[in-house]
Amino acid sequence: MEQVIFYIFAAILLFAATMVITARNPVHCALFLVLAFFNSAILWVMAGAEFLGIALVVVYVGAVMVLFLFVVMMLDIGRSIHSEGFTRYLPAGALVAVLMALQLGIVLLSGHTGIGGGVVPEVPADVNNIRGIGQLLYTHYVYPFEIAAVILLVAIIAAIVLTLRRREGTKHQDVGKQVHVRREDRVRLVSMKSEGRE
């Protein structure tokens, strides 16, 4: 029964992933991507990685995809722009799809081709997924983890720099001028004679 449920959610995942790249409407593409993330999370939970499944739903579906959806809706991308160049890149996409299918076939047939899958170490009963992932990340894989964090930081800074453009008519703040402002530059005291009542 568990295998049947796995194949059902895997088929829904493949359908959603196909619709992400073939749907005409960008909003529909984003919604199909949310469906794909949900099914991926279910497959993670069925594989025994509950923390990764919950993180996939909370981080990607709850934050990243909502942000993507708002950006797509605000930009109002037309259907013609979204489908532009689809046929041009179709051969390259088909080649990548064939290579991925071959890799998946080799993995599935690894028991018959002599390719060993390795031995999965047994996890103690008192260690849960979160503790196990934390111990691996901050002991054996601490340097790749820190390198990935630095790469993400560089990507964020690069995205900000690339989108920061000087446009005419926009107002920008000059922090140096704001800090060194004087009272005489902003306030002017005017001496006026008082007017008496007649």
Side-chain angles (χ1 to χ4, degrees), residues 124-192:
D126 58 342
V127 177
N128 54 16
N129 287 332
I130 301 176
R131 182 181 297 178
I133 292 174
Q135 287 178 352
L136 286 176
L137 281 180
Y138 295 106
T139 54
H140 295 84
Y141 300 102
V142 61
Y143 291 117
F145 183 73
E146 295 295 332
I147 291 172
V150 172
I151 292 174
L152 290 176
L153 179 61
V154 171
I156 293 172
I157 296 174
I160 294 173
V161 171
L162 290 176
T163 56
L164 185 62
R165 300 176 181 175
R166 294 286 181 178
R167 298 182 179 90
E168 296 182 359
T170 57
K171 297 181 179 179
H172 299 278
Q173 293 182 347
D174 193 345
V175 181
K177 291 183 179 179
Q178 292 177 351
V179 172
H180 295 90
V181 69
R182 298 182 303 171
R183 187 187 65 178
E184 293 80 6
D185 299 333
R186 297 297 178 94
V187 180
R188 184 177 64 177
L189 300 177
V190 179
S191 178
M192 298 180 63

Side-chain angles (χ1 to χ4, degrees), residues 8 15 22 39-40 50 62 75 88 98 119 156 159 173 192:
I8 290 174
F15 168 74
T22 57
N39 286 275
S40 299
E50 296 86 2
L75 291 179
R88 187 195 316 171
V98 170
V119 179
I156 293 172
Q173 293 182 347
M192 298 180 63

